[in-house]
Amino acid sequence: MHPILIQLRDDHSHIRQLLRLLVLPAPGSMDRGNLQRAADVMRYMTGYPDQFHHPREDLMFGPLANRDAASCDLVGRLRDEHADLGDKGLAVREALLACLEADRLVERDLAGMLRDYVAIQGAHMDLEEQSVFPKARLVLTSEDWSGIDKLLATRPDPLFGQRVQRSFRDLREYLTRSASE
């Protein structure tokens, strides 16, 4: 498997780990700590995946559609979903920040936004992993991958990379503690 596909798959694994933090286990469970953690998750989601991961996938979609005409509709749909996920992510992040600033929470409304975002993001990744990644592995050539690689901006993952960005250290520590429980 090409290193770009490996990185995309690893990103999906990290995103799924974070999405689990956005699911409220029960009504009334969103305390200030959970709210701050959710805001940190959404700051990450609107930063790294929306600004780096999705554009990386979009770069792969062009050559894939060129080599496999049957993928054109799917590629168009996924590109649209990337834009929609970016918009939804910003809306969820703004709602979380507004709740933190106002020191009050309309949990029912926020829970619905979070549930919607988690469901859409999960279905999107499932579609990519089940349809696009296998096709890309089969039809893209080493020249295609080299071309994609040349266009990629390199940016280390600020949460799951070797050096955790200072603003994500609490979230990383929480993930580490949760994994060992």
Side-chain angles (χ1 to χ4, degrees):
M1 187 180 308
H2 193 275
I4 292 173
L5 276 177
I6 292 170
Q7 181 62 55
L8 294 173
R9 188 194 61 208
D10 290 349
D11 287 349
H12 281 191
S13 176
H14 296 148
I15 291 167
R16 288 181 196 285
Q17 186 178 3
L18 293 172
L19 292 177
R20 286 190 289 273
L21 298 180
L22 298 179
V23 177
L24 300 179
S29 64
M30 186 60 94
D31 62 19
R32 188 156 183 82
N34 289 335
L35 189 61
Q36 183 60 58
R37 214 170 358 270
D40 288 345
V41 167
M42 292 312 300
R43 184 166 44 84
Y44 173 83
M45 294 298 296
T46 58
Y48 183 79
D50 288 346
Q51 301 300 316
F52 184 73
H53 173 85
H54 289 156
R56 177 175 270 201
E57 289 174 332
D58 289 343
L59 286 173
M60 180 181 68
F61 293 163
L64 177 61
N66 289 340
R67 295 213 178 267
D68 180 32
S71 296
C72 287
D73 288 342
L74 179 59
V75 162
R77 174 182 166 191
L78 291 170
R79 282 185 171 145
D80 290 345
E81 287 181 8
H82 285 168
D84 187 47
L85 283 165
D87 293 343
K88 286 188 183 322
L90 288 173
V92 170
R93 181 178 174 197
E94 288 172 12
L96 286 162
L97 293 175
C99 289
L100 280 168
E101 288 175 14
D103 203 25
R104 66 180 175 82
L105 175 64
V106 182
E107 187 171 332
R108 184 185 62 220
D109 297 338
L110 186 57
M113 289 180 79
L114 291 169
R115 222 178 2 263
D116 181 48
Y117 180 79
V118 168
I120 292 169
Q121 184 73 260
H124 174 81
M125 290 187 297
D126 288 346
L127 183 59
E128 288 176 333
E129 291 169 4
Q130 294 166 8
S131 298
V132 174
F133 291 3
K135 280 187 183 185
R137 191 171 48 246
L138 290 174
V139 303
L140 294 184
T141 66
S142 58
E143 291 171 352
D144 293 327
W145 289 115
S146 293
I148 294 166
D149 206 30
K150 286 178 186 170
L151 295 173
L152 288 176
T154 56
R155 178 176 172 201
D157 187 317
L159 176 60
F160 294 99
Q162 289 184 358
R163 290 185 49 137
V164 178
Q165 187 176 313
R166 182 181 321 242
S167 63
F168 289 114
R169 285 185 185 154
D170 288 345
L171 181 57
R172 177 68 177 264
E173 288 173 13
Y174 179 82
L175 291 168
T176 302
R177 279 193 316 271
S178 296
S180 65
E181 293 177 357

